[in-house]
Amino acid sequence: MKTPLLTTGLNGLVGSRFALDFADSYEFDNLDLRDLTQPTDITQYEQVLGRFDNSPATHVIHLAAYTDVTGAWQQTDDTRGVAYQVNVVGTENIIKAAEATKKHVVYVSTAYVFDGEKKALYTEEDTPNPIEWYGKTKYLAEEIVKQSTTPWTILRIDMPFRSDPFEKKDTVHRIITGIQDGTLYPQFTNHFFGPTYLNDFSKVLDLVVRTQLAGLYHASSGEQWTDYEFAKLINRTLKLGGEIQKGDLEAYLVKSARPYQRNTAMSTAKLNKVLDFTPKTIDEAIAAIQI
Ligand SMILES: NC(=O)c1ccc[n+]([C@@H]2O[C@H](COP(=O)([O-])OP(=O)(O)OC[C@H]3O[C@@H](n4cnc5c(N)ncnc54)[C@H](OP(=O)(O)O)[C@@H]3O)[C@@H](O)[C@H]2O)c1
């Protein structure tokens, strides 16, 4: 029998991969603005509560977010803007409804809660210090989740990509297209990140529900890559035959008004202690990519 599971954002880049991978395990009940029969806006508390009240699910996977980082930056400090409303008010509504109906909330967050100034991998002990509005709204939402009286899990990810092409192109499929049509920008040799392979992240979401895992966890690959080395890996592994040019983040930042984190790679040592499967390395994950 399938386990009932409440979700938000199940049609997005991250959620739709989870829905695909675990279609046989869960009876998904997704709160979605575009749902034809019961459209639900997470910024509206009564709508959220109504859906929670009617659900036998014990867990809520909360993925819905305003994820356009540049768009969010243009709304900086605007608490009536869509980024704040969806990311902060929406999460507050999810938490309130989960408290009222005694459900466990799994909140998917981002490495953009950090300022990016640390050279080494970020751990769960490091203090967030967001430097732009998207990261700030996700951080404020994390704080709401952490103060909740209902069981909660926060999973931070970074630069997610999946094996299959999706309508919203992930970082790997953007690089593939850029190499193929010759439009790839020079790739920074001094910007560091920690890619997240979504086919494995789906398994982490399932593990959290199955084992009631609670608390804050970094759930990326635990590896640290530069844009340049990552693009070279994709080019080599998928035999694309392109040539990757080197770029300089510092030179780019001089001209850019929007701030960028220099490093968002995270340690996954805490999560690795409880994983019951072996995640792919980034080398293995790139080898599994379908173009
Ligand atoms: N993508 C990344 O690079 C990245 C990196 C780190 C963390 N994350 C986090 O991972 C999670 C999933 O990201 P994603 O890339 O899968 O996002 P996405 O593709 O942009 O999808 C976002 C989803 O949120 C839904 N949504 C937006 N506003 C809503 C509202 N008011 N009420 C109900 N649903 C609403 C959208 O619904 P519609 O389909 O109806 O528009 C969509 O399904 C987010 O929490 C994000 O912050 C993402």
Side-chain angles (χ1 to χ4, degrees), residues 122-125 152-154 156 207 213-219 222 266-275:
Y122 280 99
T123 74
E124 290 82 353
E125 306 297 312
W152 58 266
T153 312
I154 297 174
R156 290 187 186 135
L207 174 106
L213 184 70
L216 169 65
Y217 292 89
H218 289 172
M266 299 181 288
S267 164
T268 51
K270 183 179 175 190
L271 183 67
N272 288 344
K273 289 189 192 130
V274 294
L275 283 189

mmCIF file with all atom_site columns, all heavy atoms in Angstrom, residues 122-125 152-154 156 207 213-219 222 266-275:
data_model
loop_
_atom_site.group_PDB
_atom_site.id
_atom_site.type_symbol
_atom_site.label_atom_id
_atom_site.label_alt_id
_atom_site.label_comp_id
_atom_site.label_asym_id
_atom_site.label_entity_id
_atom_site.label_seq_id
_atom_site.pdbx_PDB_ins_code
_atom_site.Cartn_x
_atom_site.Cartn_y
_atom_site.Cartn_z
_atom_site.occupancy
_atom_site.B_iso_or_equiv
_atom_site.pdbx_formal_charge
_atom_site.auth_seq_id
_atom_site.auth_comp_id
_atom_site.auth_asym_id
_atom_site.auth_atom_id
_atom_site.pdbx_PDB_model_num
ATOM 1   N N   . TYR A 1 122 ? 31.085 23.968 4.171  1.00 0.00 ? 122 TYR A N   1
ATOM 2   C CA  . TYR A 1 122 ? 30.198 24.437 5.237  1.00 0.00 ? 122 TYR A CA  1
ATOM 3   C C   . TYR A 1 122 ? 29.597 23.244 5.976  1.00 0.00 ? 122 TYR A C   1
ATOM 4   O O   . TYR A 1 122 ? 29.178 22.267 5.356  1.00 0.00 ? 122 TYR A O   1
ATOM 5   C CB  . TYR A 1 122 ? 29.059 25.282 4.664  1.00 0.00 ? 122 TYR A CB  1
ATOM 6   C CG  . TYR A 1 122 ? 29.458 26.707 4.364  1.00 0.00 ? 122 TYR A CG  1
ATOM 7   C CD1 . TYR A 1 122 ? 29.784 27.103 3.073  1.00 0.00 ? 122 TYR A CD1 1
ATOM 8   C CD2 . TYR A 1 122 ? 29.529 27.653 5.384  1.00 0.00 ? 122 TYR A CD2 1
ATOM 9   C CE1 . TYR A 1 122 ? 30.157 28.416 2.807  1.00 0.00 ? 122 TYR A CE1 1
ATOM 10  C CE2 . TYR A 1 122 ? 29.900 28.964 5.126  1.00 0.00 ? 122 TYR A CE2 1
ATOM 11  C CZ  . TYR A 1 122 ? 30.213 29.335 3.839  1.00 0.00 ? 122 TYR A CZ  1
ATOM 12  O OH  . TYR A 1 122 ? 30.586 30.635 3.576  1.00 0.00 ? 122 TYR A OH  1
ATOM 13  N N   . THR A 1 123 ? 29.561 23.339 7.300  1.00 0.00 ? 123 THR A N   1
ATOM 14  C CA  . THR A 1 123 ? 28.903 22.298 8.092  1.00 0.00 ? 123 THR A CA  1
ATOM 15  C C   . THR A 1 123 ? 27.620 22.870 8.698  1.00 0.00 ? 123 THR A C   1
ATOM 16  O O   . THR A 1 123 ? 27.383 24.085 8.661  1.00 0.00 ? 123 THR A O   1
ATOM 17  C CB  . THR A 1 123 ? 29.798 21.801 9.249  1.00 0.00 ? 123 THR A CB  1
ATOM 18  O OG1 . THR A 1 123 ? 29.825 22.814 10.261 1.00 0.00 ? 123 THR A OG1 1
ATOM 19  C CG2 . THR A 1 123 ? 31.210 21.484 8.778  1.00 0.00 ? 123 THR A CG2 1
ATOM 20  N N   . GLU A 1 124 ? 26.836 21.997 9.310  1.00 0.00 ? 124 GLU A N   1
ATOM 21  C CA  . GLU A 1 124 ? 25.573 22.408 9.942  1.00 0.00 ? 124 GLU A CA  1
ATOM 22  C C   . GLU A 1 124 ? 25.841 23.332 11.132 1.00 0.00 ? 124 GLU A C   1
ATOM 23  O O   . GLU A 1 124 ? 24.933 24.033 11.599 1.00 0.00 ? 124 GLU A O   1
ATOM 24  C CB  . GLU A 1 124 ? 24.776 21.180 10.401 1.00 0.00 ? 124 GLU A CB  1
ATOM 25  C CG  . GLU A 1 124 ? 24.201 20.334 9.274  1.00 0.00 ? 124 GLU A CG  1
ATOM 26  C CD  . GLU A 1 124 ? 25.193 19.342 8.657  1.00 0.00 ? 124 GLU A CD  1
ATOM 27  O OE1 . GLU A 1 124 ? 26.391 19.387 9.005  1.00 0.00 ? 124 GLU A OE1 1
ATOM 28  O OE2 . GLU A 1 124 ? 24.765 18.525 7.810  1.00 0.00 ? 124 GLU A OE2 1
ATOM 29  N N   . GLU A 1 125 ? 27.085 23.331 11.634 1.00 0.00 ? 125 GLU A N   1
ATOM 30  C CA  . GLU A 1 125 ? 27.442 24.184 12.777 1.00 0.00 ? 125 GLU A CA  1
ATOM 31  C C   . GLU A 1 125 ? 27.735 25.624 12.346 1.00 0.00 ? 125 GLU A C   1
ATOM 32  O O   . GLU A 1 125 ? 27.755 26.533 13.186 1.00 0.00 ? 125 GLU A O   1
ATOM 33  C CB  . GLU A 1 125 ? 28.716 23.646 13.468 1.00 0.00 ? 125 GLU A CB  1
ATOM 34  C CG  . GLU A 1 125 ? 28.658 22.187 13.890 1.00 0.00 ? 125 GLU A CG  1
ATOM 35  C CD  . GLU A 1 125 ? 27.585 21.966 14.924 1.00 0.00 ? 125 GLU A CD  1
ATOM 36  O OE1 . GLU A 1 125 ? 27.542 22.741 15.900 1.00 0.00 ? 125 GLU A OE1 1
ATOM 37  O OE2 . GLU A 1 125 ? 26.775 21.036 14.752 1.00 0.00 ? 125 GLU A OE2 1
ATOM 38  N N   . TRP A 1 152 ? 10.418 18.491 12.724 1.00 0.00 ? 152 TRP A N   1
ATOM 39  C CA  . TRP A 1 152 ? 10.881 19.121 11.477 1.00 0.00 ? 152 TRP A CA  1
ATOM 40  C C   . TRP A 1 152 ? 12.233 18.576 11.040 1.00 0.00 ? 152 TRP A C   1
ATOM 41  O O   . TRP A 1 152 ? 13.030 18.098 11.857 1.00 0.00 ? 152 TRP A O   1
ATOM 42  C CB  . TRP A 1 152 ? 10.965 20.644 11.610 1.00 0.00 ? 152 TRP A CB  1
ATOM 43  C CG  . TRP A 1 152 ? 11.859 21.131 12.718 1.00 0.00 ? 152 TRP A CG  1
ATOM 44  C CD1 . TRP A 1 152 ? 11.465 21.460 13.988 1.00 0.00 ? 152 TRP A CD1 1
ATOM 45  C CD2 . TRP A 1 152 ? 13.287 21.326 12.674 1.00 0.00 ? 152 TRP A CD2 1
ATOM 46  N NE1 . TRP A 1 152 ? 12.552 21.857 14.729 1.00 0.00 ? 152 TRP A NE1 1
ATOM 47  C CE2 . TRP A 1 152 ? 13.683 21.784 13.950 1.00 0.00 ? 152 TRP A CE2 1
ATOM 48  C CE3 . TRP A 1 152 ? 14.264 21.182 11.692 1.00 0.00 ? 152 TRP A CE3 1
ATOM 49  C CZ2 . TRP A 1 152 ? 15.013 22.086 14.254 1.00 0.00 ? 152 TRP A CZ2 1
ATOM 50  C CZ3 . TRP A 1 152 ? 15.596 21.474 12.001 1.00 0.00 ? 152 TRP A CZ3 1
ATOM 51  C CH2 . TRP A 1 152 ? 15.956 21.925 13.270 1.00 0.00 ? 152 TRP A CH2 1
ATOM 52  N N   . THR A 1 153 ? 12.453 18.676 9.730  1.00 0.00 ? 153 THR A N   1
ATOM 53  C CA  . THR A 1 153 ? 13.742 18.345 9.125  1.00 0.00 ? 153 THR A CA  1
ATOM 54  C C   . THR A 1 153 ? 14.054 19.443 8.127  1.00 0.00 ? 153 THR A C   1
ATOM 55  O O   . THR A 1 153 ? 13.169 19.851 7.367  1.00 0.00 ? 153 THR A O   1
ATOM 56  C CB  . THR A 1 153 ? 13.670 17.001 8.359  1.00 0.00 ? 153 THR A CB  1
ATOM 57  O OG1 . THR A 1 153 ? 13.047 16.024 9.189  1.00 0.00 ? 153 THR A OG1 1
ATOM 58  C CG2 . THR A 1 153 ? 15.062 16.520 7.958  1.00 0.00 ? 153 THR A CG2 1
ATOM 59  N N   . ILE A 1 154 ? 15.279 19.949 8.151  1.00 0.00 ? 154 ILE A N   1
ATOM 60  C CA  . ILE A 1 154 ? 15.719 20.890 7.114  1.00 0.00 ? 154 ILE A CA  1
ATOM 61  C C   . ILE A 1 154 ? 16.829 20.216 6.325  1.00 0.00 ? 154 ILE A C   1
ATOM 62  O O   . ILE A 1 154 ? 17.800 19.721 6.898  1.00 0.00 ? 154 ILE A O   1
ATOM 63  C CB  . ILE A 1 154 ? 16.234 22.218 7.723  1.00 0.00 ? 154 ILE A CB  1
ATOM 64  C CG1 . ILE A 1 154 ? 15.111 22.945 8.470  1.00 0.00 ? 154 ILE A CG1 1
ATOM 65  C CG2 . ILE A 1 154 ? 16.831 23.121 6.630  1.00 0.00 ? 154 ILE A CG2 1
ATOM 66  C CD1 . ILE A 1 154 ? 15.558 24.188 9.237  1.00 0.00 ? 154 ILE A CD1 1
ATOM 67  N N   . ARG A 1 156 ? 19.478 21.079 3.362  1.00 0.00 ? 156 ARG A N   1
ATOM 68  C CA  . ARG A 1 156 ? 20.042 22.116 2.472  1.00 0.00 ? 156 ARG A CA  1
ATOM 69  C C   . ARG A 1 156 ? 20.698 21.451 1.263  1.00 0.00 ? 156 ARG A C   1
ATOM 70  O O   . ARG A 1 156 ? 21.455 20.490 1.432  1.00 0.00 ? 156 ARG A O   1
ATOM 71  C CB  . ARG A 1 156 ? 21.101 22.939 3.209  1.00 0.00 ? 156 ARG A CB  1
ATOM 72  C CG  . ARG A 1 156 ? 20.533 23.845 4.283  1.00 0.00 ? 156 ARG A CG  1
ATOM 73  C CD  . ARG A 1 156 ? 21.635 24.747 4.836  1.00 0.00 ? 156 ARG A CD  1
ATOM 74  N NE  . ARG A 1 156 ? 21.158 25.545 5.965  1.00 0.00 ? 156 ARG A NE  1
ATOM 75  C CZ  . ARG A 1 156 ? 21.831 25.710 7.103  1.00 0.00 ? 156 ARG A CZ  1
ATOM 76  N NH1 . ARG A 1 156 ? 23.022 25.139 7.264  1.00 0.00 ? 156 ARG A NH1 1
ATOM 77  N NH2 . ARG A 1 156 ? 21.330 26.448 8.063  1.00 0.00 ? 156 ARG A NH2 1
ATOM 78  N N   . LEU A 1 207 ? 14.091 8.558  2.731  1.00 0.00 ? 207 LEU A N   1
ATOM 79  C CA  . LEU A 1 207 ? 14.701 8.105  4.002  1.00 0.00 ? 207 LEU A CA  1
ATOM 80  C C   . LEU A 1 207 ? 14.170 8.910  5.195  1.00 0.00 ? 207 LEU A C   1
ATOM 81  O O   . LEU A 1 207 ? 13.850 8.356  6.249  1.00 0.00 ? 207 LEU A O   1
ATOM 82  C CB  . LEU A 1 207 ? 16.226 8.254  3.905  1.00 0.00 ? 207 LEU A CB  1
ATOM 83  C CG  . LEU A 1 207 ? 16.996 7.970  5.188  1.00 0.00 ? 207 LEU A CG  1
ATOM 84  C CD1 . LEU A 1 207 ? 17.699 6.627  5.078  1.00 0.00 ? 207 LEU A CD1 1
ATOM 85  C CD2 . LEU A 1 207 ? 18.018 9.036  5.483  1.00 0.00 ? 207 LEU A CD2 1
ATOM 86  N N   . LEU A 1 213 ? 13.589 10.888 10.369 1.00 0.00 ? 213 LEU A N   1
ATOM 87  C CA  . LEU A 1 213 ? 14.811 11.641 10.648 1.00 0.00 ? 213 LEU A CA  1
ATOM 88  C C   . LEU A 1 213 ? 14.464 13.121 10.859 1.00 0.00 ? 213 LEU A C   1
ATOM 89  O O   . LEU A 1 213 ? 13.765 13.716 10.059 1.00 0.00 ? 213 LEU A O   1
ATOM 90  C CB  . LEU A 1 213 ? 15.775 11.499 9.455  1.00 0.00 ? 213 LEU A CB  1
ATOM 91  C CG  . LEU A 1 213 ? 17.151 12.149 9.614  1.00 0.00 ? 213 LEU A CG  1
ATOM 92  C CD1 . LEU A 1 213 ? 17.984 11.390 10.643 1.00 0.00 ? 213 LEU A CD1 1
ATOM 93  C CD2 . LEU A 1 213 ? 17.879 12.184 8.266  1.00 0.00 ? 213 LEU A CD2 1
ATOM 94  N N   . ALA A 1 214 ? 14.943 13.698 11.961 1.00 0.00 ? 214 ALA A N   1
ATOM 95  C CA  . ALA A 1 214 ? 14.643 15.102 12.267 1.00 0.00 ? 214 ALA A CA  1
ATOM 96  C C   . ALA A 1 214 ? 15.939 15.886 12.459 1.00 0.00 ? 214 ALA A C   1
ATOM 97  O O   . ALA A 1 214 ? 16.979 15.317 12.787 1.00 0.00 ? 214 ALA A O   1
ATOM 98  C CB  . ALA A 1 214 ? 13.783 15.183 13.522 1.00 0.00 ? 214 ALA A CB  1
ATOM 99  N N   . GLY A 1 215 ? 15.861 17.196 12.253 1.00 0.00 ? 215 GLY A N   1
ATOM 100 C CA  . GLY A 1 215 ? 17.026 18.054 12.458 1.00 0.00 ? 215 GLY A CA  1
ATOM 101 C C   . GLY A 1 215 ? 17.517 18.672 11.162 1.00 0.00 ? 215 GLY A C   1
ATOM 102 O O   . GLY A 1 215 ? 16.883 18.548 10.119 1.00 0.00 ? 215 GLY A O   1
ATOM 103 N N   . LEU A 1 216 ? 18.661 19.335 11.257 1.00 0.00 ? 216 LEU A N   1
ATOM 104 C CA  . LEU A 1 216 ? 19.246 20.047 10.111 1.00 0.00 ? 216 LEU A CA  1
ATOM 105 C C   . LEU A 1 216 ? 20.342 19.209 9.467  1.00 0.00 ? 216 LEU A C   1
ATOM 106 O O   . LEU A 1 216 ? 21.261 18.751 10.158 1.00 0.00 ? 216 LEU A O   1
ATOM 107 C CB  . LEU A 1 216 ? 19.837 21.379 10.616 1.00 0.00 ? 216 LEU A CB  1
ATOM 108 C CG  . LEU A 1 216 ? 20.725 22.165 9.656  1.00 0.00 ? 216 LEU A CG  1
ATOM 109 C CD1 . LEU A 1 216 ? 19.936 22.658 8.441  1.00 0.00 ? 216 LEU A CD1 1
ATOM 110 C CD2 . LEU A 1 216 ? 21.375 23.349 10.374 1.00 0.00 ? 216 LEU A CD2 1
ATOM 111 N N   . TYR A 1 217 ? 20.255 19.024 8.157  1.00 0.00 ? 217 TYR A N   1
ATOM 112 C CA  . TYR A 1 217 ? 21.250 18.211 7.426  1.00 0.00 ? 217 TYR A CA  1
ATOM 113 C C   . TYR A 1 217 ? 21.627 18.874 6.113  1.00 0.00 ? 217 TYR A C   1
ATOM 114 O O   . TYR A 1 217 ? 20.765 19.404 5.409  1.00 0.00 ? 217 TYR A O   1
ATOM 115 C CB  . TYR A 1 217 ? 20.693 16.814 7.100  1.00 0.00 ? 217 TYR A CB  1
ATOM 116 C CG  . TYR A 1 217 ? 20.500 15.956 8.321  1.00 0.00 ? 217 TYR A CG  1
ATOM 117 C CD1 . TYR A 1 217 ? 19.292 15.999 9.017  1.00 0.00 ? 217 TYR A CD1 1
ATOM 118 C CD2 . TYR A 1 217 ? 21.522 15.146 8.792  1.00 0.00 ? 217 TYR A CD2 1
ATOM 119 C CE1 . TYR A 1 217 ? 19.114 15.237 10.161 1.00 0.00 ? 217 TYR A CE1 1
ATOM 120 C CE2 . TYR A 1 217 ? 21.356 14.374 9.935  1.00 0.00 ? 217 TYR A CE2 1
ATOM 121 C CZ  . TYR A 1 217 ? 20.149 14.424 10.610 1.00 0.00 ? 217 TYR A CZ  1
ATOM 122 O OH  . TYR A 1 217 ? 19.969 13.681 11.746 1.00 0.00 ? 217 TYR A OH  1
ATOM 123 N N   . HIS A 1 218 ? 22.904 18.805 5.791  1.00 0.00 ? 218 HIS A N   1
ATOM 124 C CA  . HIS A 1 218 ? 23.364 19.179 4.457  1.00 0.00 ? 218 HIS A CA  1
ATOM 125 C C   . HIS A 1 218 ? 23.240 17.950 3.565  1.00 0.00 ? 218 HIS A C   1
ATOM 126 O O   . HIS A 1 218 ? 23.743 16.879 3.914  1.00 0.00 ? 218 HIS A O   1
ATOM 127 C CB  . HIS A 1 218 ? 24.808 19.677 4.517  1.00 0.00 ? 218 HIS A CB  1
ATOM 128 C CG  . HIS A 1 218 ? 24.922 21.016 5.181  1.00 0.00 ? 218 HIS A CG  1
ATOM 129 N ND1 . HIS A 1 218 ? 26.123 21.607 5.496  1.00 0.00 ? 218 HIS A ND1 1
ATOM 130 C CD2 . HIS A 1 218 ? 23.951 21.893 5.574  1.00 0.00 ? 218 HIS A CD2 1
ATOM 131 C CE1 . HIS A 1 218 ? 25.884 22.786 6.042  1.00 0.00 ? 218 HIS A CE1 1
ATOM 132 N NE2 . HIS A 1 218 ? 24.580 22.974 6.117  1.00 0.00 ? 218 HIS A NE2 1
ATOM 133 N N   . ALA A 1 219 ? 22.558 18.117 2.422  1.00 0.00 ? 219 ALA A N   1
ATOM 134 C CA  . ALA A 1 219 ? 22.208 16.948 1.604  1.00 0.00 ? 219 ALA A CA  1
ATOM 135 C C   . ALA A 1 219 ? 22.649 17.120 0.147  1.00 0.00 ? 219 ALA A C   1
ATOM 136 O O   . ALA A 1 219 ? 21.971 16.686 -0.771 1.00 0.00 ? 219 ALA A O   1
ATOM 137 C CB  . ALA A 1 219 ? 20.704 16.698 1.685  1.00 0.00 ? 219 ALA A CB  1
ATOM 138 N N   . GLY A 1 222 ? 28.500 16.620 -0.985 1.00 0.00 ? 222 GLY A N   1
ATOM 139 C CA  . GLY A 1 222 ? 29.640 16.668 -0.069 1.00 0.00 ? 222 GLY A CA  1
ATOM 140 C C   . GLY A 1 222 ? 30.946 16.949 -0.804 1.00 0.00 ? 222 GLY A C   1
ATOM 141 O O   . GLY A 1 222 ? 32.005 16.997 -0.188 1.00 0.00 ? 222 GLY A O   1
ATOM 142 N N   . MET A 1 266 ? 29.129 22.169 0.686  1.00 0.00 ? 266 MET A N   1
ATOM 143 C CA  . MET A 1 266 ? 28.793 21.776 2.058  1.00 0.00 ? 266 MET A CA  1
ATOM 144 C C   . MET A 1 266 ? 29.298 20.367 2.376  1.00 0.00 ? 266 MET A C   1
ATOM 145 O O   . MET A 1 266 ? 29.314 19.487 1.499  1.00 0.00 ? 266 MET A O   1
ATOM 146 C CB  . MET A 1 266 ? 27.269 21.805 2.254  1.00 0.00 ? 266 MET A CB  1
ATOM 147 C CG  . MET A 1 266 ? 26.643 23.167 2.038  1.00 0.00 ? 266 MET A CG  1
ATOM 148 S SD  . MET A 1 266 ? 24.848 23.181 2.292  1.00 0.00 ? 266 MET A SD  1
ATOM 149 C CE  . MET A 1 266 ? 24.272 22.286 0.861  1.00 0.00 ? 266 MET A CE  1
ATOM 150 N N   . SER A 1 267 ? 29.631 20.167 3.630  1.00 0.00 ? 267 SER A N   1
ATOM 151 C CA  . SER A 1 267 ? 29.988 18.827 4.101  1.00 0.00 ? 267 SER A CA  1
ATOM 152 C C   . SER A 1 267 ? 28.709 18.026 4.338  1.00 0.00 ? 267 SER A C   1
ATOM 153 O O   . SER A 1 267 ? 27.740 18.545 4.903  1.00 0.00 ? 267 SER A O   1
ATOM 154 C CB  . SER A 1 267 ? 30.756 18.932 5.417  1.00 0.00 ? 267 SER A CB  1
ATOM 155 O OG  . SER A 1 267 ? 30.778 17.668 6.048  1.00 0.00 ? 267 SER A OG  1
ATOM 156 N N   . THR A 1 268 ? 28.726 16.751 3.939  1.00 0.00 ? 268 THR A N   1
ATOM 157 C CA  . THR A 1 268 ? 27.565 15.891 4.188  1.00 0.00 ? 268 THR A CA  1
ATOM 158 C C   . THR A 1 268 ? 27.894 14.805 5.225  1.00 0.00 ? 268 THR A C   1
ATOM 159 O O   . THR A 1 268 ? 27.208 13.792 5.306  1.00 0.00 ? 268 THR A O   1
ATOM 160 C CB  . THR A 1 268 ? 27.095 15.240 2.870  1.00 0.00 ? 268 THR A CB  1
ATOM 161 O OG1 . THR A 1 268 ? 28.229 14.632 2.236  1.00 0.00 ? 268 THR A OG1 1
ATOM 162 C CG2 . THR A 1 268 ? 26.482 16.249 1.937  1.00 0.00 ? 268 THR A CG2 1
ATOM 163 N N   . ALA A 1 269 ? 28.942 15.049 6.006  1.00 0.00 ? 269 ALA A N   1
ATOM 164 C CA  . ALA A 1 269 ? 29.385 14.031 6.979  1.00 0.00 ? 269 ALA A CA  1
ATOM 165 C C   . ALA A 1 269 ? 28.253 13.641 7.945  1.00 0.00 ? 269 ALA A C   1
ATOM 166 O O   . ALA A 1 269 ? 28.089 12.465 8.280  1.00 0.00 ? 269 ALA A O   1
ATOM 167 C CB  . ALA A 1 269 ? 30.588 14.554 7.761  1.00 0.00 ? 269 ALA A CB  1
ATOM 168 N N   . LYS A 1 270 ? 27.461 14.623 8.364  1.00 0.00 ? 270 LYS A N   1
ATOM 169 C CA  . LYS A 1 270 ? 26.379 14.337 9.332  1.00 0.00 ? 270 LYS A CA  1
ATOM 170 C C   . LYS A 1 270 ? 25.324 13.411 8.696  1.00 0.00 ? 270 LYS A C   1
ATOM 171 O O   . LYS A 1 270 ? 24.906 12.422 9.298  1.00 0.00 ? 270 LYS A O   1
ATOM 172 C CB  . LYS A 1 270 ? 25.742 15.650 9.787  1.00 0.00 ? 270 LYS A CB  1
ATOM 173 C CG  . LYS A 1 270 ? 24.670 15.491 10.846 1.00 0.00 ? 270 LYS A CG  1
ATOM 174 C CD  . LYS A 1 270 ? 24.103 16.849 11.270 1.00 0.00 ? 270 LYS A CD  1
ATOM 175 C CE  . LYS A 1 270 ? 22.948 16.683 12.243 1.00 0.00 ? 270 LYS A CE  1
ATOM 176 N NZ  . LYS A 1 270 ? 22.223 17.946 12.487 1.00 0.00 ? 270 LYS A NZ  1
ATOM 177 N N   . LEU A 1 271 ? 24.933 13.734 7.462  1.00 0.00 ? 271 LEU A N   1
ATOM 178 C CA  . LEU A 1 271 ? 23.922 12.909 6.786  1.00 0.00 ? 271 LEU A CA  1
ATOM 179 C C   . LEU A 1 271 ? 24.466 11.519 6.462  1.00 0.00 ? 271 LEU A C   1
ATOM 180 O O   . LEU A 1 271 ? 23.749 10.518 6.579  1.00 0.00 ? 271 LEU A O   1
ATOM 181 C CB  . LEU A 1 271 ? 23.456 13.607 5.503  1.00 0.00 ? 271 LEU A CB  1
ATOM 182 C CG  . LEU A 1 271 ? 22.352 12.890 4.720  1.00 0.00 ? 271 LEU A CG  1
ATOM 183 C CD1 . LEU A 1 271 ? 21.041 12.871 5.517  1.00 0.00 ? 271 LEU A CD1 1
ATOM 184 C CD2 . LEU A 1 271 ? 22.111 13.542 3.356  1.00 0.00 ? 271 LEU A CD2 1
ATOM 185 N N   . ASN A 1 272 ? 25.734 11.464 6.059  1.00 0.00 ? 272 ASN A N   1
ATOM 186 C CA  . ASN A 1 272 ? 26.325 10.178 5.660  1.00 0.00 ? 272 ASN A CA  1
ATOM 187 C C   . ASN A 1 272 ? 26.230 9.127  6.765  1.00 0.00 ? 272 ASN A C   1
ATOM 188 O O   . ASN A 1 272 ? 26.155 7.932  6.483  1.00 0.00 ? 272 ASN A O   1
ATOM 189 C CB  . ASN A 1 272 ? 27.785 10.364 5.228  1.00 0.00 ? 272 ASN A CB  1
ATOM 190 C CG  . ASN A 1 272 ? 27.880 11.058 3.882  1.00 0.00 ? 272 ASN A CG  1
ATOM 191 O OD1 . ASN A 1 272 ? 26.898 11.148 3.145  1.00 0.00 ? 272 ASN A OD1 1
ATOM 192 N ND2 . ASN A 1 272 ? 29.055 11.580 3.560  1.00 0.00 ? 272 ASN A ND2 1
ATOM 193 N N   . LYS A 1 273 ? 26.213 9.587  8.020  1.00 0.00 ? 273 LYS A N   1
ATOM 194 C CA  . LYS A 1 273 ? 26.145 8.638  9.150  1.00 0.00 ? 273 LYS A CA  1
ATOM 195 C C   . LYS A 1 273 ? 24.803 7.903  9.207  1.00 0.00 ? 273 LYS A C   1
ATOM 196 O O   . LYS A 1 273 ? 24.708 6.847  9.819  1.00 0.00 ? 273 LYS A O   1
ATOM 197 C CB  . LYS A 1 273 ? 26.353 9.393  10.472 1.00 0.00 ? 273 LYS A CB  1
ATOM 198 C CG  . LYS A 1 273 ? 27.775 9.863  10.654 1.00 0.00 ? 273 LYS A CG  1
ATOM 199 C CD  . LYS A 1 273 ? 27.984 10.405 12.059 1.00 0.00 ? 273 LYS A CD  1
ATOM 200 C CE  . LYS A 1 273 ? 29.313 11.125 12.130 1.00 0.00 ? 273 LYS A CE  1
ATOM 201 N NZ  . LYS A 1 273 ? 29.223 12.453 12.707 1.00 0.00 ? 273 LYS A NZ  1
ATOM 202 N N   . VAL A 1 274 ? 23.774 8.492  8.597  1.00 0.00 ? 274 VAL A N   1
ATOM 203 C CA  . VAL A 1 274 ? 22.450 7.855  8.689  1.00 0.00 ? 274 VAL A CA  1
ATOM 204 C C   . VAL A 1 274 ? 21.936 7.327  7.343  1.00 0.00 ? 274 VAL A C   1
ATOM 205 O O   . VAL A 1 274 ? 20.862 6.727  7.287  1.00 0.00 ? 274 VAL A O   1
ATOM 206 C CB  . VAL A 1 274 ? 21.394 8.821  9.295  1.00 0.00 ? 274 VAL A CB  1
ATOM 207 C CG1 . VAL A 1 274 ? 21.719 9.132  10.742 1.00 0.00 ? 274 VAL A CG1 1
ATOM 208 C CG2 . VAL A 1 274 ? 21.284 10.112 8.488  1.00 0.00 ? 274 VAL A CG2 1
ATOM 209 N N   . LEU A 1 275 ? 22.692 7.564  6.282  1.00 0.00 ? 275 LEU A N   1
ATOM 210 C CA  . LEU A 1 275 ? 22.240 7.080  4.971  1.00 0.00 ? 275 LEU A CA  1
ATOM 211 C C   . LEU A 1 275 ? 22.224 5.553  4.933  1.00 0.00 ? 275 LEU A C   1
ATOM 212 O O   . LEU A 1 275 ? 23.138 4.915  5.459  1.00 0.00 ? 275 LEU A O   1
ATOM 213 C CB  . LEU A 1 275 ? 23.177 7.570  3.856  1.00 0.00 ? 275 LEU A CB  1
ATOM 214 C CG  . LEU A 1 275 ? 23.053 9.016  3.387  1.00 0.00 ? 275 LEU A CG  1
ATOM 215 C CD1 . LEU A 1 275 ? 23.904 9.235  2.151  1.00 0.00 ? 275 LEU A CD1 1
ATOM 216 C CD2 . LEU A 1 275 ? 21.614 9.400  3.114  1.00 0.00 ? 275 LEU A CD2 1
#
